[in-house]
Amino acid sequence: MKELTKAEEQVMQILWDIEQGFVKDVLAKMPEPKPAYNTVSTIIRILEKKGFVGYKAYGKTHEYFPLVDKKTYSNFYLKNFIGGYFGGSFQKLVSFFAKENDMDLTDFESLMDHVKTDLDEEEEVK
């Protein structure tokens, strides 16, 4: 899997949100100033070549949908981010954010409780 550019990620965020749609649907969800229709179409075709997007053809019109789900890409991106900036160490990442945000022990314990709750909920779903 390859990392997405900012423009590609913006289009994917919209596709993840709407689940499927035409170029005009993606364009409608973009903030002002909106890019040109051809620009969005080109980005979607690049995403298709990268394996992120599939489509259903209706004559000359294509309806696009994500082939990679948001959680899968998020995990990939975060692993690359932690690897690139923190030597692959989650502990270094947490330490960095704790220092940069002046977290005290109470804040840190609250964060860890939140993470534990999320993990417990995921285990219950499995």
Side-chain angles (χ1 to χ4, degrees):
M1 185 179 303
K2 292 183 179 181
E3 201 166 303
L4 300 174
T5 66
K6 288 185 185 225
E8 292 166 349
E9 187 174 344
Q10 182 180 27
V11 168
M12 284 305 299
Q13 291 288 353
I14 293 168
L15 282 173
W16 285 322
D17 184 46
I18 66 175
E19 296 179 2
Q20 62 185 30
F22 300 93
V23 173
K24 67 178 179 64
D25 299 323
V26 173
L27 190 57
K29 293 279 190 177
M30 297 187 107
E32 295 291 342
K34 294 185 186 295
Y37 179 95
N38 288 342
T39 301
V40 176
S41 179
T42 298
I43 292 168
I44 290 175
R45 280 186 267 121
I46 291 168
L47 288 165
E48 181 191 342
K49 287 180 184 165
K50 287 184 171 183
F52 281 84
V53 172
Y55 67 89
K56 292 182 227 169
Y58 302 97
K60 292 183 179 183
T61 305
H62 294 87
E63 184 176 31
Y64 298 96
F65 53 88
L67 293 174
V68 175
D69 66 38
K70 189 174 186 175
K71 184 175 181 179
T72 300
Y73 182 72
S74 297
N75 285 335
F76 164 79
Y77 182 83
L78 285 174
K79 284 179 184 175
N80 280 352
F81 177 78
I82 293 169
Y85 288 95
F86 301 99
S89 169
F90 181 73
Q91 290 84 357
K92 287 180 184 177
L93 170 73
V94 172
S95 176
F96 171 80
F97 280 107
K99 288 176 188 172
E100 289 298 310
N101 293 294
D102 294 323
M103 290 178 76
D104 62 20
L105 189 56
T106 304
D107 292 335
F108 187 76
E109 287 174 352
S110 175
L111 173 65
M112 296 312 292
D113 287 343
H114 181 73
V115 169
K116 183 178 180 341
T117 300
D118 285 352
L119 291 173
D120 289 345
E121 288 173 0
E122 281 186 23
E123 285 298 316
E124 288 176 11
V125 170
K126 291 178 183 178

